[in-house]
Amino acid sequence: MESMNLGETKGITRRRRGDRILHLVFLVCTSIGIVALMALIISILMDGLHRLSPEIFTNYPSRRAERAGMKSPIVGTIYMLLLMAPLSFILGVGAAIFLEEYAGKSRWVRLIQLNISTLAGVPSIIYGILGLAIFVRGMGLGRSLLSGALTMTLLVLPIIIVSAQEALRAVPKNRRDGSYALGATKWQTVSKSVLPSAMPGIMTGVILALSRAIGETAPLIMIGALTYVAFLPENLLDSFTVMPIQIFNWVSRPSEEFHDLAASGIILLLIMLFIMNLTAIWLRNKYQKNT
């Protein structure tokens, strides 16, 4: 009996030691990532803060650093978000509702689910090639704002579908059963009971997917987004540029002044991403309180 207790004590001690070692390893790995991120942010702030001024919002890009601004890239990014948000939300959430609530569990549905999960991890450049083939050349939309918005919608759709399905699965079954017991139809149950309960997770997934999209450069370069635009798009078929492409343009130039401008552009992009993440948190908390 004493030998068994001694063996159990040694096993518990060994497991606790292993837990402490793993805790230390994970803490070191996390600390390295945080320190590297903070060093990068501090370096960007030191280079770009002094270039932040009203002129960066009112001036168009220029070949002269002292006169250059980000008016057209900022407006192009906002226009793209305004086009992407409703398209990706309607298509992504609609597909998730169909697959999760109506499609059943057949072999074809499982195959579609597998393909969607795979597409969520496909490199973004592939979506750029797809957008170039379908929207720019196939549909004849040219290198336009609409082509860019549709291409980026394809990029975020798998992420939104997967996150929306997970949010729908997380709704307790008794909500559905209670709705059916009161005589509600399938669509009434989904729209009035299931969807409001899943909305916090859905909205969080949509906004985070859009946050990823506004930082992407490769798909837009593939479909021909311009690196120098000194005008604002007046319709959906006009040429455009976005903030990441303009930042890439400035970074590739040898002048130190353009590098400082690129740092200021990165700061603006980080602020936009921070606001979108705060919006995701606020919407999640708001819908959680309502449900």
Side-chain angles (χ1 to χ4, degrees):
M1 192 70 175
E2 291 181 359
S3 62
M4 290 180 61
N5 291 335
L6 183 60
E8 291 177 359
T9 303
K10 289 182 178 180
I12 293 172
T13 303
R14 189 162 50 249
R15 286 193 295 271
R16 287 179 177 174
R17 188 184 302 114
D19 289 341
R20 286 195 295 269
I21 293 173
L22 288 176
H23 176 77
L24 181 61
V25 170
F26 295 149
L27 180 62
V28 170
C29 293
T30 305
S31 301
I32 291 173
I34 293 174
V35 169
L37 178 62
M38 292 304 298
L40 182 60
I41 291 176
I42 291 172
S43 175
I44 290 171
L45 291 175
M46 291 175 62
D47 292 339
L49 273 179
H50 69 281
R51 290 306 305 263
L52 284 177
S53 62
E55 286 74 21
I56 201 168
F57 298 97
T58 58
N59 290 358
Y60 290 102
S62 172
R63 292 180 176 85
R64 296 182 179 180
E66 64 274 8
R67 296 170 54 185
M70 293 192 73
K71 183 176 180 178
S72 53
I74 291 172
V75 173
T77 300
I78 294 173
Y79 282 176
M80 181 163 293
L81 275 177
L82 292 177
L83 289 172
M84 282 173 52
L87 280 174
S88 58
F89 181 85
I90 293 171
L91 294 176
V93 176
I97 291 174
F98 174 76
L99 292 172
E100 196 63 30
E101 302 292 336
Y102 291 95
K105 302 297 180 184
S106 66
R107 182 176 64 182
W108 290 108
V109 173
R110 290 197 298 270
L111 181 62
I112 292 172
Q113 296 273 26
L114 177 62
N115 287 327
I116 291 173
S117 300
T118 304
L119 287 173
V122 169
S124 60
I125 188 66
I126 304 300
Y127 291 97
I129 297 172
L130 184 63
L132 178 65
I134 296 177
F135 303 125
V136 176
R137 297 176 179 173
M139 297 176 63
L141 297 177
R143 304 175 185 275
S144 62
L145 179 63
L146 183 57
S147 295
L150 291 174
T151 301
M152 300 309 285
T153 299
L154 288 181
L155 172 68
V156 300
L157 265 182
I159 304 172
I160 293 175
I161 293 173
V162 171
S163 62
Q165 283 187 274
E166 292 297 328
L168 291 170
R169 291 192 194 109
V171 177
K173 188 175 182 296
N174 56 18
R175 282 185 178 268
R176 295 177 174 84
D177 295 339
S179 179
Y180 291 139
L182 293 173
T185 62
K186 178 77 170 178
W187 174 243
Q188 288 173 332
T189 299
V190 171
S191 60
K192 302 296 184 182
S193 181
V194 176
L195 196 56
S197 300
M199 194 56 70
I202 292 174
M203 293 303 298
T204 301
V206 169
I207 294 177
L208 294 180
L210 294 177
S211 299
R212 176 198 170 183
I214 67 170
E216 289 286 352
T217 306
L220 297 177
I221 291 177
M222 280 299 304
I223 66 167
L226 302 179
T227 58
Y228 178 79
V229 174
F231 57 87
L232 299 181
E234 296 181 356
N235 58 66
L236 296 180
L237 297 180
D238 274 354
S239 301
F240 73 104
T241 189
V242 291
M243 295 173 68
I245 290 181
Q246 187 60 57
I247 292 169
F248 172 76
N249 185 331
W250 283 338
V251 168
S252 63
R253 299 194 176 196
S255 174
E256 191 67 29
E257 293 180 348
F258 281 110
H259 294 173
D260 293 344
L261 275 172
S264 65
I266 292 171
I267 293 172
L268 292 178
L269 191 59
L270 287 174
I271 291 173
M272 187 178 292
L273 291 172
F274 184 69
I275 292 173
M276 293 182 70
N277 286 318
L278 283 182
T279 304
I281 295 171
W282 177 77
L283 287 172
R284 183 182 62 201
N285 293 337
K286 179 178 181 294
Y287 280 105
Q288 282 176 343
K289 290 178 181 178
N290 291 339
T291 56

